[in-house]
Amino acid sequence: MKIKTTILLIALSLTVISCFKKVPEEPGRKAEFGLVIHGGAGYINPDTFTGEKKQKYISKLKEALTKGSSILEKGGSSLDAVEAVINILENSPLFNAGKGAVFTAEGTNELDASIMDGKTLNAGAVAGVKHIKNPISLARLVMEKSPHVLLAGDGAEAFAIEQGVELVDSSYFFTEDRWKYYLKVKKEREKKNISFAKENRDEKYGTVGCVALDKHGNLAAGTSTGGMTFKRFGRIGDSPIIGAGTYANNNTCAISCTGHGEFFIRNVVAYDISALMEYSKLPLQKAAEKVVMDKLVKQGGDGGIIGIDKYGNIAMPFNTKSMFRGFMLDGKEPVIKIFK
Amino acid sequence: MKIKTTILLIALSLTVISCFKKVPEEPGRKAEFGLVIHGGAGYINPDTFTGEKKQKYISKLKEALTKGSSILEKGGSSLDAVEAVINILENSPLFNAGKGAVFTAEGTNELDASIMDGKTLNAGAVAGVKHIKNPISLARLVMEKSPHVLLAGDGAEAFAIEQGVELVDSSYFFTEDRWKYYLKVKKEREKKNISFAKENRDEKYGTVGCVALDKHGNLAAGTSTGGMTFKRFGRIGDSPIIGAGTYANNNTCAISCTGHGEFFIRNVVAYDISALMEYSKLPLQKAAEKVVMDKLVKQGGDGGIIGIDKYGNIAMPFNTKSMFRGFMLDGKEPVIKIFK
């Protein structure tokens, strides 16, 4: 009887203890500083995406990571790293952001971007700008030099002029590859009489993003995109929407998204990962997987995310075939991946 | 010894039981159908806001509630009720939405709206439209007749034309009161050389919104606004942002927000209340209070929200001096409130 009671007591005690262990223990510090980047999720074929073309992407992503890491290593802010990294990707014709943006139905380029500071929860974003070389830098000006979060269209460009930002001619964004693709899509659409921009599963989405943790423990996130090929009607995707395409909070994580924007807006994807960490006490990887590999997959929402938390844990889940991505922690060797 | 053991066992058992009661029991059904509306949070003085003026607001809010309730009573959808209610408030010059919208810095009216279906998580929104009589109805068309969520500016109006929506001349939105207020603000700004739209704490924000539960158990939410007086640079607030100003999910709640939009975007207010219900298992009232009376207050974010859950529980917290609000449950007497 006494032994039975003792066993029962021990069992109950263990249950009680396990009960109070809902909150996972604070994980060990994985990295003092670091960053994760993406260059878009999509459906690239590993059999044909090879050789020189592949190398071009890898070396540009490495260049961006190395630049961001060097800023962080010197004690620079995560915001500075995020902006500098995204500037490099915007300036490269390889990605669908800044130079190399896809064309709208009207044959123009309309760019969206957003940035968020995890320390202050301050944020800035621009949507539908046509003459801004580096939309992420304008988003940062909105955050730091205006009381607003989101400025759109001509208004955002008027703000840029007031801030001394030089506008570029729309021809700056032109690339032969995107234009050819635009003409191809246009032809198909005219044949099938399709009214709306549809996601092009064959193509990578090409949005770029960066999340970073600096030596001061501050997180930041940023995203920049040209949106969907053949988008019409002033369509705005998730990239300039705080909570959907971009979110950062020192208490949880910094997130940047890429994929079929409408699903990311409706599911408030970036903030949902943060909420799962804060309220459900999930670690970053689990929270990110729940949203990208479960919630989004159930709805048919293509895409992926990159994330980093305050301990330097990172996550890069995606539910498409490919996602240009990479990370660099504590200044160690940059790691680049494209396929699963 | 045996008594001690028994007491210990009982104590431990109770602890274990309480441990597994984290999830609050399913609350009893408060109402089979119903709706909550708001006409903006702000700083109206109860000593001067009296008599005929006050009565005008009360009777318009009652008219809107009664219309929505009659749709729900007949078995109509929460989406239909939300749209019809907001149409009434948009068509009234009393509120800062549709006719009666405030003026931008350029002396124009730029309207934002969004709507979300809690059953499907589908959503639609428009931002910066200038010739749309009922922006909430265009938001619904975006949701139902396009693959997109958010359309902005001229593009959104081109979509409206394609959908057979009649555009109105911008003079339709003109009201003497708003114009006088615009001129007053303009004069002050020219004197002080203020560049940006600032919140006007003296004024009510005037955004309108509605959340509803129908007899089929479906939730819906909608919000419509003219934004901030003297806004510039294509500023977009929280009203057309799914997750910030509007959110609905049959599993949790339907929310519509009013207040200083930038704070609502950065705090992803509408979705945060849903996340607190889903992940932290808070009831609607507690979740709404945590966000509006704690998180937003700490940051100086003025405003309020209305919410309804699947059991017909409602919440209407606000951290300003006043919020036009009201509810009507199961077709019973409509209730209107303005002050605390």
Side-chain angles (χ1 to χ4, degrees), chain A residues 251-253 255 272-285 287-288 308-310:
Chain A
N251 293 328
T252 52
C253 58
I255 303 288
D272 197 26
I273 295 169
S274 172
L276 280 164
M277 290 179 71
E278 188 175 353
Y279 304 143
S280 290
K281 307 299 175 194
L282 294 190
L284 172 62
Q285 182 68 33
I308 190 165
D309 72 10
K310 58 181 164 179

Side-chain angles (χ1 to χ4, degrees), chain B residues 259-271:
Chain B
H260 193 161
E262 277 71 10
F263 289 88
F264 283 68
I265 294 177
R266 291 196 287 254
N267 288 283
V268 201
V269 165
Y271 181 70

Side-chain angles (χ1 to χ4, degrees), chain A residues 5 19 22 121-122 147-148 150 152 155 162 195-196 232-234 236 262 266 271-272 276 279-280 295, chain B residues 5 19 22 121-122 145 147-148 150 152 155 162 195-196 232-234 236 262 266 271-272 276 279-280 295:
Chain A
T5 314
C19 243
K22 281 171 311 197
L121 298 187
N122 210 345
H148 300 314
L150 176 54
E162 202 178 278
S195 174
F196 286 102
R232 288 181 73 192
F233 301 130
I236 296 176
E262 278 71 13
R266 291 196 287 255
Y271 182 69
D272 197 26
L276 280 164
Y279 304 143
S280 290
K295 286 189 176 187
Chain B
T5 312
C19 245
K22 281 171 310 195
L121 298 186
N122 210 346
K145 306 288 183 191
H148 299 314
L150 176 53
E162 202 178 277
S195 173
F196 286 102
R232 288 181 74 191
F233 300 130
I236 296 176
E262 277 71 10
R266 291 196 287 254
Y271 181 70
D272 198 25
L276 280 164
Y279 303 144
S280 290
K295 284 189 177 187

Side-chain angles (χ1 to χ4, degrees), chain A residues 171-188:
Chain A
S171 64
Y172 165 78
F173 301 104
F174 181 90
T175 51
E176 196 65 35
D177 280 1
R178 300 288 189 200
W179 184 249
K180 273 187 195 154
Y181 186 68
Y182 163 75
L183 292 177
K184 185 185 148 211
V185 173
K186 193 175 176 187
K187 215 169 163 184
E188 281 169 13

Side-chain angles (χ1 to χ4, degrees), chain A residues 124-235:
Chain A
V126 292
V129 294
K130 294 177 184 172
H131 305 92
I132 304 297
K133 189 182 170 201
N134 293 110
I136 195 72
S137 299
L138 184 57
R140 187 166 177 185
L141 283 172
V142 172
M143 173 170 82
E144 293 179 345
K145 307 289 184 191
S146 95
H148 300 314
V149 171
L150 176 54
L151 303 182
D154 297 342
E157 298 196 350
F159 170 74
I161 293 167
E162 202 178 278
Q163 292 293 319
V165 175
E166 214 177 301
L167 301 198
V168 294
D169 189 82
S170 54
S171 64
Y172 165 78
F173 301 104
F174 181 90
T175 51
E176 196 65 35
D177 280 1
R178 300 288 189 200
W179 184 249
K180 273 187 195 154
Y181 186 68
Y182 163 75
L183 292 177
K184 185 185 148 211
V185 173
K186 193 175 176 187
K187 215 169 163 184
E188 281 169 13
R189 265 149 212 280
E190 280 163 358
K191 218 187 288 174
K192 294 183 198 162
N193 198 20
I194 300 171
S195 174
F196 286 102
K198 288 235 170 84
E199 48 164 339
N200 303 295
R201 287 182 65 102
D202 312 334
E203 277 293 294
K204 64 184 175 58
Y205 290 105
T207 296
V208 306
C210 177
V211 296
L213 165 69
D214 65 29
K215 287 184 173 177
H216 317 289
N218 293 322
L219 295 171
T223 311
S224 184
T225 191
M228 278 180 175
T229 296
F230 228 77
K231 67 183 176 187
R232 288 181 73 192
F233 301 130
R235 177 259 186 185

